[in-house]
């Protein structure tokens, strides 16, 4: 394992940290105000990284079995240079060597190298965004000031990225622990330390001043525009992209909401159908039917199909603009180190040549085929069981309403739908945990493969769980009134349940249970404030938020023609969702830590798939339109001609969607030129680095000068 210096030097640093002021003045505050090599902080490995102020970025919470000897060893490991196998970071012990926290920061060189490795783009001296190169670092704006050059979220992610990437260079016993606690060669150190109970948690630290400014500009005021650049600076591009899409999607609901309100207000047919769905009884037919073939349902269906395509294409353009502005347009595609949870027999990777854990692909495929697929199928069977119980209950309450015909029986009509919604939500919660366990068991090497398989499992279940009943009612039972009632119940009950579980309950828990134990004053030591942050629950992630938006998008694009007020209810919900989600991530949880992203990733594909499925769904619902069915019954239109017309309309609408997608470029023209420029300059920089080396080697190898006269690192074979 790499060494970060001798024990004596570490003890001197520790004693320097203990010699700082008492509880009234935090040792960490005093150290942060001094140079990087000042009291408490481990020393920087190069003079250019010395700074007048050290910024606490990440907190490492230690387990109860960690003693002073183990803590000193861990700090040496964190502070050791990367060439020696360390993380190349800065570590501070908190109050003293016996404390249960380590505060971690990062020097300039480590951050700049991580910037290049991640493939981030930064502002060049000429004002253009360029892919960052460490060898050309002096030509990038503010490259000597990390707080201006990198966002807070980027600096914190880079610290966690370096910690998670630590791997043992040889078999090593951890000081201060039993002999059974051994780090084997190429083990992921951070994961092993967690399994040994040494590390309880690692999370980025909130900055109260910045968080307060962000809160006032985000959810505390009356602003309609979200401060997305500030969100990206503080929480990172993953969170910023989610809120940007939520904002874009919410305001995109205005056109279908206005259309839905207009149809519901001016169409007597729609009003009659909605009354039937609410009352559960047959309303009197409108004798003043103008006899038009085109109804409000048809207009809503065609509009929803075209709207979903235009919205997703316009979002791609906005996404490209944001990724350029936030420096994530050309993130590096590289052969990354295995993810922390990956395990296997130690061997040589045939692609990279590195010694690392290897796991046969056929074993992973076998696990997916024999374990993952059957378990997912079992949960899909539970969805079918719930759907069967729903139909049974629906039939019973319908019969009860016919027998009683009272206000109580009318209220009972919604009980099966409400119970089924609660059942599906509970099943979805359990399934997410099971899906994570299954994906861990599959043992994927790359983080991207892990995320894609996990997302795929959840998407398949979510689509089946949320839309199976609706599709069955529409395509098999062909019961449009029941479909309308079911959709209305889903929109109302699901949104109420989500608001209660996502905001109200966490707020009450935070206000009356957690907050009294986190009381702090401005005079409290920084270490105590950091510990208070550790009492907050971990942020549950954006997975459930994206699922919620995807389900909303499905309700609107697939079935809104039977319930025109769908967009109105979604718009009202999302206007509060923006502020409630912002409040939740700022106040109720620890600060999350996500890698930089360039777009929505696999979620964008899921939205586009729903957009195309909406064509088939809406065309079939148009065939079931009461007005067209009435024409068929009266002999004005044959069933064969109606079905043929629906197929023709379906193909025409698919063609129109394809044409719209082709006519609307995924990137604005100026973004495409910027991307090509970045790729060109990166290629030129690589060529300039390679050509001088090749020229030198050519001259040396063709000259008569003996190779042994040159340093061994140039020609290792000459040393033999």
């Amino acid at each position: 394992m790499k060494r970060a210096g001798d024990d004596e030097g570490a003890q001197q640093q520790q004693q320097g940290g203990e010699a700082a002021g008492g509880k009234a003045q935090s040792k960490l505050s005093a150290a942060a105000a001094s140079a990087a090599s000042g009291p408490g902080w481990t020393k920087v490995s190069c003079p250019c990284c010395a700074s007048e102020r050290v910024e606490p970025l990440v907190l490492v919470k230690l387990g109860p079995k960690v003693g002073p000897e183990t803590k000193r060893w861990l700090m040496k490991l964190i502070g050791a240079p990367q060439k020696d196998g360390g993380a190349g970071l800065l570590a501070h012990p908190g109050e003293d060597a016996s404390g249960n926290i380590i505060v971690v920061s990062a020097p300039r060189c480590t951050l700049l190298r991580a910037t290049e490795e991640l493939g981030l783009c930064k502002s060049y001296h000429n004002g253009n965004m360029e892919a960052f190169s460490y060898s050309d670092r002096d030509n990038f704006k503010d490259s000597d000031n990390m707080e201006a050059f990198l966002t807070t979220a980027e600096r914190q992610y880079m610290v966690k990225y370096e910690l998670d990437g630590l791997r043992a260079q040889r078999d090593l016993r951890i000081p201060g622990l039993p002999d059974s606690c051994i780090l084997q060669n190429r083990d992921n150190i951070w994961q092993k330390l967690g399994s040994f109970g040494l590390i309880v948690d690692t999370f980025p630290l909130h900055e109260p001043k910045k968080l307060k400014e962000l809160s006032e500009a985000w959810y505390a005021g009356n602003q309609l525009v979200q401060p997305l650049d500030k969100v990206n600076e503080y929480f990172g591009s993953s969170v910023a992209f989610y809120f940007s899409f939520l904002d874009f999607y919410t305001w995109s609901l205005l056109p279908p909401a206005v259309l839905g309100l207009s149809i519901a207000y001016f169409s007597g047919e729609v009003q009659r159908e909605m009354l039937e769905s609410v009352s559960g009884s047959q309303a009197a037919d409108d004798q003043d039917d103008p006899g038009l073939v085109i109804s409000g349902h048809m207009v809503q269906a065609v509009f929803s199909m075209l709207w979903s395509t235009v919205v997703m294409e316009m979002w791609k353009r906005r996404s490209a603009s944001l990724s350029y502005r936030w420096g994530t347009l050309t993130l590096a595609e590289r052969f990354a180190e295995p993810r922390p949870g990956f395990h296997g027999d130690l061997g040589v990777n045939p692609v990279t040549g590195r010694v690392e854990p290897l796991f046969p692909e056929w074993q992973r495929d076998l696990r997916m085929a024999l374990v993952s697929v059957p378990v997912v199928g079992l949960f899909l069977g539970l969805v079918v069981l719930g759907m069967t119980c729903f139909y049974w209950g629906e039939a019973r309450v319908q019969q009860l309403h016919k027998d009683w015909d009272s206000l109580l029986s009318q209220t009972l009509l919604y009980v099966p739908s409400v119970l089924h919604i609660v059942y599906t939500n509970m099943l979805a919660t359990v399934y997410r945990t099971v899906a994570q366990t299954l994906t861990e068991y599959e043992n994927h090497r790359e983080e991207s493969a892990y995320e894609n398989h996990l997302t795929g499992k959840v998407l398949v279940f979510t689509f089946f769980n949320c839309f199976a009943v609706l599709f069955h009612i529409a395509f098999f039972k062909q019961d449009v009134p029941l479909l309308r009632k079911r959709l209305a119940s889903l929109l109302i009950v699901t949104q109420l349940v989500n608001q209660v579980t996502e905001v109200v309950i966490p707020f009450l828990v935070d206000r009356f249970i957690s907050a009294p134990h986190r009381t702090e004053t401005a005079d409290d030591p920084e270490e105590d404030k950091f510990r208070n942050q550790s009492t907050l629950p971990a942020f549950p992630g954006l997975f459930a938020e994206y699922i919620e938006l995807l389900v909303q998008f499905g309700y609107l694009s697939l079935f809104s023609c039977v319930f025109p007020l769908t967009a109105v209810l979604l718009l009202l919900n999302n206007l509060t969702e923006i502020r409630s989600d912002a409040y939740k991530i700022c106040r109720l949880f620890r600060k999350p830590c996500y890698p930089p992203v360039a777009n929505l990733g696999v979620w964008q594909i899921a939205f586009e798939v729903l957009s195309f499925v909406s064509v088939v769904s809406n065309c079939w619902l148009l065939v079931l339109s009461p007005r067209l069915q009435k024409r068929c019954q009266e002999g004005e239109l044959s069933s064969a001609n109606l079905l043929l017309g629906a197929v023709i309309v379906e193909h025409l609408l698919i063609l129109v969607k394809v044409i719209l997608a082709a006519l609307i470029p995924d990137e604005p023209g100026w973004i495409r030129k910027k991307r090509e420029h970045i790729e060109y300059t990166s290629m030129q920089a690589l060529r300039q680095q390679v050509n001088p080396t090749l020229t030198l080697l050519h001259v040396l190898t063709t000259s008569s000068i003996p190779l042994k006269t040159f340093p061994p690192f140039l020609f290792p074979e000459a040393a033999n």
Side-chain angles (χ1 to χ4, degrees), residues 114 172 255:
L172 183 70

Side-chain angles (χ1 to χ4, degrees), residues 623-687:
V623 172
L624 299 179
S625 170
R627 185 169 296 187
L628 291 180
Q629 292 295 319
K630 183 178 180 181
R631 297 289 190 275
C632 291
Q633 294 173 1
E634 295 175 352
E636 299 179 13
L637 187 65
S638 66
S639 299
N641 289 338
L642 178 60
L643 186 60
L644 178 62
V647 173
I648 294 175
V649 171
E650 176 193 33
H651 283 69
L652 286 176
L653 287 172
I654 290 178
L655 179 62
V656 170
K657 289 173 76 72
V658 172
I659 293 175
L660 282 174
L663 291 178
I664 304 176
D666 292 349
E667 296 178 341
W670 68 275
I671 291 290
R672 179 179 54 81
K673 293 177 181 178
K674 293 289 187 182
R675 179 192 292 274
E676 293 174 353
H677 173 74
I678 291 173
E679 293 173 352
Y680 173 77
T681 53
S682 299
M683 183 181 63
Q684 291 295 105
L686 179 62
R687 187 175 299 170

